[in-house]
Amino acid sequence: MMALLSVVLRLKLPSRQPAGLFHTCTRLLAADKELLVKLRKKTGYSFINCKKALEKFSNDVKQAETWLNEQAQKEGWSKASKLQGRKTAEGLIGLLHEGNTAVLVEVNCETDFVARNVKFQQLVQQVAVSTLKHSQSIEKSQSPYMKGFLAGAEFLHMKTEDSLLKDLLAVTIAKLGENMTMKRAAWVTVPSNMFIGSYVHGSLPAELPSLANMAFGKYGAVVICEPDVNCNSNLSELGRRLGQHVVGMSPSALGSLEDENTGETETRMLAQSFLLEPSLTVGQYLLPHQVQVLDFVRFACGEETQSTESNNS
């Protein structure tokens, strides 16, 4: 009887927990959640994948992030091969203008919805930054200014701060799930006695903390100009207006001041009616400003391109 009573008493008595164990577990769970939110915000990957990574590396955020990026690259290349045949007619033109160098890039995706995504804009920005660094590595020539083009596979082994562009492309494909292509880039560099006009049309409000001199849109242009020593025009505004003309009128050649306007089908820039003052040709508009236009580059997102643009000049 006494043995039975002893068993009953033991069953009724509450089991003791070490003091503070419940609160310790609560704090650990909160810390895990905080790490999860932090990793999710930094990488953009799903909560499930971030949780898996933290569990795999015992809440070591740095190792978890590295592993996530490696997995994303593998998945990205797998997705890229599966999506390779899908058309990439949308995307963005990126314009990066820094000092005496300006860069235009085109990166394509499948839908305008993805083109407006911050992750896609980050890819475009990084392509522009890598192209800028590439232009700075080119040996200076005897030409009065320098201009170069890149296309397709030439981007794949270019470096970002942390990896290669091809790896960043893979990560972005993995995150957004669309086919993407780094289509082309152009860069121009001028000496101190010249300036570069630039303009982007159809620009998007960039949601990412981007470079102050980076712009995104559907059309972009850079114009190489040389002012006369007596020029007192607002060169920044003049350059913007000339870039706007190139975007709007789509000239195919520069021409000369002696060229006469042949009408609406005129494709030589200096002979075209100036977009903002149609009563004047571009050449006539430039004369009182004491500025010469030496060259220009125009990009339109999704347009057909010539193979010659893949070579540096």
Side-chain angles (χ1 to χ4, degrees), residues 104 197-201 219-225 238-254 267-270 272-276 282 286 293 295-300 303:
L104 281 175
S198 60
Y199 177 75
V200 171
H201 182 74
Y219 302 85
V222 293
V223 185
I224 299 173
C225 305
L238 179 61
R240 188 192 69 82
R241 290 164 69 89
L242 291 170
Q244 191 173 358
H245 173 90
V246 171
V247 165
M249 299 299 288
S250 188
S252 60
L254 180 62
T267 59
R268 295 166 298 177
M269 179 182 175
L270 294 176
Q272 287 179 322
S273 296
F274 185 48
L275 181 67
L276 302 179
V282 174
L286 289 172
V293 171
D295 206 345
F296 65 88
V297 180
R298 178 186 186 273
F299 277 8
E303 70 181 347

